[in-house]
């Protein structure tokens, strides 16, 4: 077996572990890749099966195709399904021309030899915020450009905090947040809800606290990591957070907050529409770091990438399509549709000018960090699985935070 084939098979195994974080989607229908397309038709695969033929996204693809002088054959897949189909298509030499893929999967595809680098495909990433671009980098090479980003922050219910006598301006670090939760409980309301479920969603939600303690994913059992897990465990023990967090997805956690009794909820930009419909005044606060300031939260969102093709003459047109999709105006329109924060300062400023409520999200995204950053690449899914298992063990009381993270570190090795 060739080394490239071994890498692809290994990547298929890894990609089944990388789960979606965000809203759920139904699966898309099958489609041929570049090999099955004629010279005047270019294939695009994306993780947006919810978008129909008359959607703004599909119209944008057709418009970019028209400007490049080609027709677009587009297929939307469920995010987890998309990674596997991409790897299998690469094995068959039938990759799509343009691939829009969840950012943690980029390093998996890159390591498998599926993607071209920006040095090869000439995609311009000079305006992209470096912390967001890092999610698509591995071993010093960049494999695409982000189409937008979402991340996590704390939504808060203004009326609940007012009733409890909490000034949101006082919440600046972990001690002041815990003090606020104590006041909320004494006032007869509920403190904070989040997702600690035993999946990637649980790791995704724990990472702002983990990184906010200055912990590193290569050392799950550090004192900093233990302090972060102890914070969550302490909230459950004192009744500041409900035991339901052990089974909460980000959706069910949001439903708890939307009920109106919780002071805080950790959730993402994708809940903005729901927040407007919740029936109470809300605000958004970046997740505080242990000693103050904003913690780094993990980035969600997709990268526009150009897979490797046997027919290298197709790259020039593919680059035009990718450049069109990530132009300033198109980023603004697309990220508004997806409830994403744009990956460039220029477009972020336009978003905030149009909707001031996005300002705290822009601040959170500027502090955000890719889950596969720090050159973790395909190690991340293995580390993440041990992290969410540790969170589950500690919060359920089966192990202490320290013992849970020690076991996690041993297993991650």
């Amino acid at each position: 077996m060739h080394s490239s084939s071994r890498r692809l098979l290994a990547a298929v195994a890894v990609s089944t572990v990388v789960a979606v974080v965000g809203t759920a989607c139904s699966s898309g229908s099958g489609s041929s890749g570049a090999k099955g397309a004629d010279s005047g038709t270019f294939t695009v695969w994306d993780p947006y099966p919810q978008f129909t033929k008359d959607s703004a996204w599909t119209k944008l693809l057709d418009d970019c195709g028209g400007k490049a002088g080609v027709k677009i054959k587009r297929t939307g897949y469920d995010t987890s399904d998309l990674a596997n189909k991409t790897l299998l298509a690469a094995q068959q030499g039938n990759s799509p021309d343009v691939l829009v893929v969840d950012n943690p999967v980029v390093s998996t595809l890159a390591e498998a030899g599926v993607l071209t680098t920006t040095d090869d495909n000439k995609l311009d990433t000079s305006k992209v915020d470096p912390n967001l671009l890092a999610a698509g980098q591995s071993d010093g090479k960049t494999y695409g450009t982000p189409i937008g980003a979402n991340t996590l922050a704390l939504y808060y219910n203004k009326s609940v905090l007012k009733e409890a006598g909490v000034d949101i301006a006082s919440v600046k670090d972990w001690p002041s947040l815990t003090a606020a939760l104590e006041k909320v409980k004494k006032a007869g309301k509920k403190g904070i809800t989040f997702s600690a479920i035993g999946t990637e969603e649980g790791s995704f939600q724990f990472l702002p606290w983990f990184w906010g303690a200055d912990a590193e994913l290569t050392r799950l059992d550090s004192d900093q990591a233990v302090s972060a897990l102890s914070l969550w465990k302490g909230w459950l023990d004192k009744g500041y957070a409900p035991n339901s967090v052990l089974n909460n997805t980000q959706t069910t956690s949001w439903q708890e907050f939307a009920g109106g009794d919780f002071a805080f909820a950790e959730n993402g930009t994708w809940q903005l529409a729901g927040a407007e419909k919740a029936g109470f005044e809300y605000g958004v606060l970046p997740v505080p770091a242990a000693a103050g300031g904003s913690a780094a939260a993990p980035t969600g969102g997709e990268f526009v990438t150009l897979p490797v093709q046997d027919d290298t003459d197709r790259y020039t047109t593919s680059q035009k399509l990718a450049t069109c999709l990530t132009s300033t105006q198109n980023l603004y329109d697309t990220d508004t549709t997806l409830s994403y924060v744009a990956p460039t300062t220029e477009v972020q400023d336009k978003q905030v000018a149009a909707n001031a409520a996005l300002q705290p999200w822009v601040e959170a995204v500027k502090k955000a960090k890719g889950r596969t950053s720090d050159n973790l690449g395909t190690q991340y899914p293995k580390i993440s699985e041990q992290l969410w298992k540790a969170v589950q063990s500690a919060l359920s009381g089966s192990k202490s935070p320290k013992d849970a993270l020690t076991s996690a570190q041993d297993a991650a090795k």
Side-chain angles (χ1 to χ4, degrees):
M1 183 183 291
H2 295 299
S3 60
S4 59
S5 298
R6 285 196 294 270
R7 289 200 305 271
L8 279 165
L9 288 173
V12 170
V14 170
S15 72
T16 60
V17 181
V18 179
V20 190
V21 176
T23 53
C25 305
S26 60
S27 295
S29 59
S31 172
S32 62
K35 186 195 291 183
D38 58 48
S39 60
T41 300
F42 276 64
T43 56
V44 177
W45 290 3
D46 64 54
Y48 312 130
Q50 71 273 30
F51 292 148
T52 59
K53 289 183 179 179
D54 60 352
S55 67
W57 170 249
T58 302
K59 290 177 180 176
L60 172 59
L61 291 174
D62 289 339
D63 182 57
C64 287
K67 290 177 180 176
V70 297
K71 292 182 179 179
I72 299 299
K73 187 173 184 181
R74 175 252 173 180
T75 306
Y77 292 103
D78 175 86
T79 301
S80 55
D81 197 29
L82 176 59
N84 292 327
K85 280 192 164 53
T86 299
L87 289 161
L88 292 172
Q91 282 184 303
Q92 298 161 0
N94 195 28
S95 295
D97 292 293
V98 177
L99 175 69
V100 185
V101 66
D102 197 24
N103 75 69
V105 181
V106 173
S107 57
T108 299
L109 299 180
E111 188 169 308
V114 174
L115 304 177
T116 60
T117 70
T118 53
D119 286 339
D120 295 331
N121 59 43
K122 309 305 179 187
L123 275 177
D124 181 9
T125 61
S126 60
K127 293 183 179 180
V128 178
D129 287 352
N131 66 315
L132 300 182
L133 191 63
Q137 294 175 325
S138 180
D139 293 327
K141 297 178 180 178
T142 304
Y143 293 89
T145 188
I147 201 166
N150 55 32
T151 193
L152 297 167
L154 296 181
Y155 287 86
Y156 58 89
N157 185 320
K158 292 184 177 182
S159 62
V160 170
L161 293 182
K162 183 178 180 180
E163 188 176 334
V166 174
D167 178 2
I168 193 62
S170 70
V171 179
K172 297 179 178 179
D173 50 23
W174 290 2
S176 57
L177 175 57
T178 301
L181 296 177
E182 181 181 8
K183 287 184 177 181
V184 168
K185 186 185 177 187
K186 286 181 178 178
K189 294 292 185 179
K190 299 176 181 178
I192 186 169
T193 180
F194 47 86
S195 169
I197 194 169
T199 68
E200 175 63 18
E201 283 190 79
S203 292
F204 189 73
Q205 289 242 317
F206 183 59
L207 280 173
W209 312 95
F210 183 87
W211 284 331
D214 289 330
E216 298 178 0
L217 287 170
T218 51
R219 279 203 59 204
L220 296 180
D221 58 348
S222 67
D223 290 344
Q224 293 90 336
V226 172
S227 71
L229 190 47
S230 297
L231 178 75
W232 271 20
K233 175 61 173 169
W235 287 349
L236 261 69
D237 289 346
K238 294 174 182 176
Y240 300 161
N243 288 327
S244 60
V245 299
L246 278 159
N247 298 309
N248 269 349
T249 63
Q250 292 178 113
T251 299
T252 56
S253 171
W254 178 259
Q255 290 167 348
E256 288 181 335
F257 179 68
D261 289 331
F262 278 90
F264 296 94
E266 182 185 359
N267 228 295
T269 49
W270 54 89
Q271 300 293 3
L272 278 171
E276 295 296 334
K277 299 175 183 176
F280 52 79
E281 282 193 87
Y282 74 93
V284 177
L285 178 75
V287 175
S294 298
T299 55
E302 289 79 46
F303 266 61
V304 179
T305 67
L306 303 186
V308 172
Q309 305 293 343
D310 291 335
D311 181 1
T312 57
D313 288 342
R314 300 181 71 86
Y315 291 149
T316 300
T317 299
S318 297
Q319 191 265 4
K320 290 179 181 177
L321 294 172
T323 299
C324 177
L325 291 174
T326 56
S327 69
T328 296
Q329 186 57 51
N330 287 336
L331 277 178
Y332 178 77
D333 293 339
T334 299
D335 290 339
T336 300
T337 299
L338 295 172
S339 292
Y340 281 175
V341 170
T344 68
T345 298
E346 180 182 9
V347 184
Q348 290 166 2
D349 290 345
K350 287 184 66 174
Q351 288 181 303
V352 172
N355 181 4
L358 286 174
Q359 182 60 51
W361 291 108
V362 169
E363 292 175 17
V365 162
K366 283 189 174 296
K367 287 279 189 178
K369 183 175 180 178
R371 284 164 277 173
T372 58
S373 296
D374 299 329
N375 221 33
L376 288 178
T378 54
Q379 296 177 61
Y380 173 75
K382 304 166 190 175
I383 295 170
S384 175
E385 182 178 4
Q386 298 310 319
L387 186 60
W388 80 58
K389 286 180 177 178
V391 170
Q392 285 267 303
S393 294
L395 298 192
S396 66
S398 63
K399 290 183 180 179
S400 69
K402 183 173 179 57
D403 288 345
L405 288 167
T406 299
S407 297
Q409 178 64 20
D410 290 342
K413 288 179 181 177

